[in-house]
Amino acid sequence: MGPMRAPRGYGSIGTMARRWQVITVELLGGRGIDLDPPPGRDLIAPPSTTFAELARAIDLAFARWDRAHHHEFALADGTRIIDDAPQRDLATRAATGGPILDRVLPGTTAVKPLLGRGDTMRYVFDLSDRWVYRCTVTDKIGVDQLIGPRITGPQPIRGWGDLPDQYGRIRPDAERHRGAGGRRVDDEGNGAGGARPAPEAFEPGSSRRARRAAERAEARDRRDQPDREEPRAPRGPRGERGRPRHLEFLEEFGASVAEPVDVGAVRRAWARRDIPSLVSALTGADCRHVLQQVGACLAGTWRASNGPGHALCEPMTAAMLSTITQLELRGWPGDDVLAELIMARLRGERPAGSPLPLRLGALVTSIAAGGQRDGVWLDVDTGVVWPASILATRAGRDWTGPIAPPVEGDDALGIAPGHHWLHLDESDPGAAWSDRRAFIAHVGGGRTEEEIVSARALGRGAERGPEAFYAAVADRGLDSLWLAFRDDRRWGRARAALAAEGLRPA
């Protein structure tokens, strides 16, 4: 006997049938209100279902009649699936913290490879009213078990609960144009042009007052009978109502802690002008502690990604806009200069300042190698850097005296006459102390208990002195994070010093 076959249009019984997913979708709330218990629908999704198709099925199942709104899905690891809205506009919403470039997938991505049984994701319809849905893969089902019309895509098969109107309307208010003199009467009887009068507009004043008094009495009855009252959010310490639970789910779900970015991978991609590797290194990574270095890499590779039809132009734009926002919020020395440079690159304008033939990273490395007392002398005409200690030894000067710039016209050093010199160093003891305090604040700004404990340990070490602080950094395994953080502070100070002289690194 041959294999059984399902009726035409339902798929085959067996392997293919068992692969269809049942996704339970619950509407938690929207427009600032919670729905408790939440209404829900069970949707059956074929294996080929995309997120765009699933979004359309959810909207129709929950009576979203005006679907001209943006929407997005979010997975538990923070990956977002967006509709046709430009990625650069959506990515800037996350620019106040965390990754400068989110993990984003298009709506044409298939659902099944990313979600298995028991997995949950979030769906938001209308990013302004924020109707929040919780979607869970609860089962697998064969289409042979269903009775009905042919299934061509994700369909609701079960439902419960009352569905609120997406705009909170309880009566029709469709626009009806009645010519130049057309008017409508609103709930209070005031004239306004456009829509059909509400039924209450024709009530006598006494009837309207009586109806509203009855509504207020019914509301008091619901308050006096807790068993009839809908659950309400708990009050805060000052008596305010707490945040709606659906907004807490919106903010907390998928908000995983991002790992620090691999600065070495970013620099290697920058040196090779490898845009795919640069985008990959920045996606989903925490760049807050190395914004100077990351921003310089983005600005330096922007021209290579700005070609006509370049596939990675959109993520590069999103990363640069997010970096600008984070630089403005962070406000360290030199951050404002870099933000203006990145914006000039985006606009295709000439950045402020005269270009200096020198990489900022090389200059910072030379300053650090020169020691915190001596620093370096920078030839702002050629970009040549001379450590002050070498010049002092050559001139045979006393180390306690001031270090003068190189002697003009020194043929041995290749210094031509008439050049302008700039002295840069890290001799200010307040700068090192400020770096340590800023690092403690950065670590303590995390959301995990481990980060909070580490910040307290670093704070106790800083109170006992620099050596105790560095020992606490080593004990907590934060060496690489601290070095990248300290270097970024130095990059900002060097950039600010050059900008004060009207210069910018090439």
Side-chain angles (χ1 to χ4, degrees):
M1 182 176 179
M4 295 181 60
R5 294 184 181 276
R8 182 179 178 86
Y10 286 90
S12 61
I13 300 176
T15 304
M16 285 297 294
R18 289 194 298 270
R19 292 176 59 191
W20 291 51
Q21 292 179 314
V22 176
I23 302 177
T24 299
V25 183
E26 299 172 289
L27 176 55
L28 304 183
R31 295 174 57 85
I33 60 173
D34 281 325
L35 299 176
D36 191 8
R41 298 289 185 269
D42 282 342
L43 277 70
I44 183 172
S48 60
T49 300
T50 65
F51 283 95
E53 294 171 341
L54 180 60
R56 182 177 184 275
I58 293 175
D59 295 343
L60 295 177
F62 284 85
R64 304 298 94 172
W65 53 270
D66 181 5
R67 294 186 290 113
H69 296 282
H70 294 310
H71 60 262
E72 71 172 28
F73 287 93
L75 306 183
D77 63 353
T79 301
R80 296 161 53 218
I81 297 91
I82 63 175
D83 58 0
D84 58 352
Q87 179 178 328
R88 70 182 70 178
D89 297 333
L90 291 174
T92 54
R93 297 190 298 112
T96 55
I100 63 172
L101 195 60
D102 288 344
R103 292 185 291 269
V104 178
L105 297 175
T108 55
T109 306
V111 176
K112 189 176 184 299
L114 299 181
L115 291 173
R117 180 179 292 183
D119 291 340
T120 299
M121 64 180 172
R122 184 191 68 214
Y123 174 62
V124 180
F125 171 79
D126 190 347
L127 302 185
S128 58
D129 285 347
R130 295 189 291 186
W131 291 100
V132 181
Y133 300 79
R134 180 172 55 221
C135 310
T136 307
V137 180
T138 54
D139 200 0
K140 294 182 180 180
I141 192 172
V143 292
D144 61 291
Q145 303 174 19
L146 303 177
I147 300 176
R150 178 176 178 177
I151 298 176
T152 59
Q155 299 286 339
I157 59 174
R158 189 180 301 111
W160 59 93
D162 296 331
L163 299 180
D165 182 81
Q166 69 183 88
Y167 296 129
R169 295 167 175 171
I170 59 175
R171 62 178 62 86
D173 60 351
E175 295 289 334
R176 291 192 177 183
H177 300 284
R178 303 186 180 184
R183 295 172 61 83
R184 73 171 176 87
V185 182
D186 62 12
D187 292 350
E188 299 299 329
N190 299 321
R196 180 181 61 180
E200 291 81 356
F202 300 102
E203 292 185 45
S206 58
S207 299
R208 191 182 310 137
R209 287 192 294 271
R211 176 177 54 81
R212 293 181 176 175
E215 292 175 352
R216 288 193 294 269
E218 183 180 355
R220 285 195 299 269
D221 292 340
R222 287 197 299 268
R223 289 194 298 270
D224 295 338
Q225 300 180 31
D227 56 331
R228 293 180 54 190
E229 184 181 9
E230 296 183 358
R232 307 172 72 181
R235 291 184 180 272
R238 296 185 179 180
E240 306 93 344
R241 295 292 178 187
R243 286 182 57 77
R245 288 185 295 275
H246 76 279
L247 293 184
E248 295 179 1
F249 179 75
L250 173 66
E251 296 173 355
E252 296 175 2
F253 181 82
S256 56
V257 178
E259 295 295 329
V261 66
D262 185 349
V263 184
V266 172
R267 291 181 178 176
R268 289 190 295 271
W270 179 23
R272 300 191 303 266
R273 296 298 189 268
D274 186 353
I275 301 173
S277 297
L278 177 60
V279 171
S280 177
L282 297 178
T283 300
D286 184 4
C287 303
R288 295 173 299 160
H289 60 297
V290 287
L291 290 176
Q292 281 284 335
Q293 302 166 68
V294 167
C297 294
L298 289 171
T301 55
W302 170 244
R303 292 181 180 178
S305 68
N306 200 24
H310 197 289
L312 295 178
C313 183
E314 287 293 336
M316 284 288 290
T317 303
M320 295 174 76
L321 290 173
S322 297
T323 302
I324 291 173
T325 303
Q326 289 197 8
L327 285 168
E328 293 174 346
L329 293 173
R330 193 175 70 168
W332 290 356
D335 284 354
D336 56 340
V337 180
L338 179 58
E340 293 176 0
L341 170 65
I342 298 175
M343 182 57 71
R345 295 296 190 197
L346 281 173
R347 294 174 175 172
E349 301 173 351
R350 181 182 178 86
S354 301
L356 183 67
L358 175 68
R359 288 188 177 273
L360 190 60
L363 175 61
V364 171
T365 301
S366 299
I367 296 174
Q372 290 189 350
R373 177 186 180 278
D374 306 310
V376 299
W377 284 97
L378 169 65
D379 186 341
V380 299
D381 296 303
T382 63
V384 174
V385 178
W386 284 104
S389 57
I390 294 180
L391 298 177
T393 303
R394 177 177 177 82
R397 292 175 180 160
D398 184 3
W399 285 98
T400 60
I403 306 287
V407 179
E408 294 183 352
D410 192 328
D411 295 333
L413 297 179
I415 301 174
H419 285 203
H420 178 59
W421 294 87
L422 178 64
H423 185 235
L424 301 171
D425 65 1
E426 292 283 332
S427 60
D428 184 6
W433 179 87
S434 178
D435 291 348
R436 294 192 291 269
R437 301 308 304 182
F439 184 69
I440 296 171
H442 172 76
V443 174
R447 291 172 294 189
T448 65
E449 184 66 24
E450 180 180 356
E451 290 171 319
I452 297 175
V453 172
S454 296
R456 293 173 180 171
L458 296 176
R460 290 191 296 268
E463 294 175 357
R464 295 193 296 268
E467 292 77 10
F469 170 81
Y470 300 137
V473 168
D475 292 340
R476 307 302 300 183
L478 301 174
D479 308 69
S480 59
L481 184 66
W482 158 249
L483 293 177
F485 183 94
R486 183 200 60 188
D487 288 346
D488 210 63
R489 301 271 294 186
R490 290 176 173 174
W491 275 55
R493 286 193 289 266
R495 191 183 297 276
L498 294 178
E501 300 292 330
L503 302 170
R504 60 176 173 87

